[in-house]
Amino acid sequence: MLVNALSVDVEEYYHAAIFRTGARDWITRHVESRVERSVDRLLALLREHRTHATFFILGEVAAAHPAVVHAIVKERHEVACHGDRHEDVSRQTRPEFRADISRAKARLEDLVGESVIGYRAPNFSIGRAQSWAYEILVEEGFRYDSSLYPILHDRYGQPGAPRFPYEIWRNGSHRLVEFPISTARLLGVNFPIGGGGYFRLLPFGLVRLGIQRVNAREQQPVMFYLHPWELDPELPRPPMAWHHRFRLYVGLEKEAVKIARLLARFPFGTARDVLRLGGRGEPTTRDGARSGLDTSG
Ligand SMILES: [Zn+2]
């Protein structure tokens, strides 16, 4: 049976882009860390379902809360990198981007004691104009990226991009595999079934059908993502515009139940395992990482 990839973007609730634009002043006065308790909740849920996941951890969160990283490693999940300060790649220069990812990678590797080979950009912020980032990722030792979301969205998304793992950059033997966030394609449109706010908003049955379709009909693994704060219904609620409030808080009460249903219904594992990459990013099968095998959109 096809195994899908489960990923977690480990950050504080106030790293969410909407929160930052919607309530920036409030954050600076009320900032309260909630990452430890929400990661604990998620780790318990994964333990219950005997599931391993890839945790894309923010460098500054790892530095402030090393216990969170240790707890994740202890349960044999994969540690990957979500950048250092949650700054969109599209707002950074090339040297700034290199400094951000190498600082985060070093912080994580110090805590984990092994290579960190996966990267996800904050807010999926590697657009076509930032494709220079792939070369830098490879030079800094990353082997796969999961920052592409092939949907139409007001802030991110590339609806025409490939939907399944493929080689996005290569120079000689150095290559980078892209594992896009999953979509189900229906009537020529990509529907978001890969998690985040859409998962909270959409009925579970619809997402289940989408994942089933990708697994059975297209014979491809799904990349699903969530944030620890989505399992925290007691998230502080500062004043903000209603549309920001809706996106951030919709479905928080039901999220843990929905995630449990998802884990009961489909097999999930780490991105590294689904891509068949070894500890240092080397392919573990003769045909290599899934990568490069499929470039169909
Ligand atoms: Zn993030």
Side-chain angles (χ1 to χ4, degrees):
M1 199 177 191
L2 250 168
V3 175
N4 298 295
L6 183 66
S7 66
V8 183
D9 293 356
V10 180
E11 59 195 47
E12 299 281 4
Y13 64 98
Y14 49 80
H15 284 115
I18 293 162
F19 207 98
R20 286 193 152 183
T21 48
R24 191 183 284 273
D25 295 345
W26 187 89
I27 296 169
T28 53
R29 283 179 281 122
H30 296 79
V31 92
E32 175 210 5
S33 172
R34 297 179 72 85
V35 73
E36 290 196 24
R37 73 190 91 175
S38 48
V39 168
D40 279 352
R41 207 169 291 164
L42 181 56
L43 289 175
L45 194 60
L46 295 176
R47 206 179 303 130
E48 212 175 291
H49 291 269
R50 295 197 179 86
T51 299
H52 289 106
T54 295
F55 286 72
F56 291 94
I57 307 176
L58 205 58
E60 67 174 25
V61 166
H65 306 276
V68 167
V69 183
H70 289 137
I72 290 167
V73 171
K74 194 167 157 240
E75 311 244 354
R76 303 195 346 269
H77 297 291
E78 179 190 0
V79 169
C81 179
H82 193 35
D84 202 52
R85 297 183 53 242
H86 215 266
E87 195 67 58
D88 284 1
V89 178
S90 47
R91 300 170 75 106
Q92 297 182 56
T93 63
R94 294 171 200 212
E96 282 167 352
F97 175 68
R98 188 188 292 278
D100 184 88
I101 60 171
S102 72
R103 193 186 314 117
K105 192 171 193 279
R107 281 174 155 178
L108 291 168
E109 288 177 346
D110 277 353
L111 291 165
V112 176
E114 62 171 38
S115 301
V116 166
I117 59 164
Y119 174 76
R120 172 167 297 147
N123 304 313
F124 309 114
S125 56
I126 303 182
R128 285 189 209 288
Q130 288 78 35
S131 50
W132 47 263
Y134 300 127
E135 183 171 5
I136 298 177
L137 281 167
V138 171
E139 285 168 2
E140 295 300 323
F142 291 96
R143 293 294 171 258
Y144 74 89
D145 173 73
S146 182
S147 308
L148 212 155
Y149 206 165
I151 53 161
L152 265 178
H153 188 279
D154 58 353
R155 287 197 325 272
Y156 50 75
Q158 297 182 45
R163 297 170 47 233
F164 304 121
Y166 69 108
E167 185 180 287
I168 198 165
W169 194 89
R170 177 193 274 272
N171 185 359
S173 61
H174 298 291
R175 59 188 210 140
L176 189 73
V177 174
E178 175 62 39
F179 199 159
I181 305 294
S182 286
T183 54
R185 193 160 177 84
L186 206 65
L187 305 170
V189 178
N190 293 347
F191 291 91
I193 55 160
Y198 290 112
F199 183 67
R200 284 181 279 127
L201 188 61
L202 297 171
F204 177 77
L206 215 59
V207 177
R208 189 193 63 216
L209 279 176
I211 296 177
Q212 238 165 268
R213 190 182 163 92
V214 171
N215 284 173
R217 196 178 291 194
E218 301 184 277
Q219 290 288 305
Q220 290 285 342
V222 155
M223 168 57 86
F224 188 94
Y225 83 103
L226 72 151
H227 300 94
W229 55 259
E230 292 180 283
L231 298 175
D232 182 1
E234 288 106 59
L235 217 58
R237 292 173 185 241
M240 61 170 79
W242 70 267
H243 59 285
H244 288 320
R245 176 176 298 277
F246 179 75
R247 273 200 200 178
L248 194 60
Y249 296 98
V250 65
L252 286 184
E253 318 74 38
K254 294 196 196 123
E255 174 77 356
V257 176
K258 280 170 110 174
I259 294 291
R261 288 181 73 184
L262 184 77
L263 299 181
R265 175 64 184 77
F266 299 100
F268 279 96
T270 66
R272 195 169 65 191
D273 286 349
V274 171
L275 291 172
R276 302 183 201 130
L277 291 168
R280 281 189 301 278
E282 72 287 1
T284 54
T285 54
R286 207 163 51 85
D287 58 350
R290 290 194 69 91
S291 78
L293 305 179
D294 192 309
T295 48
S296 61

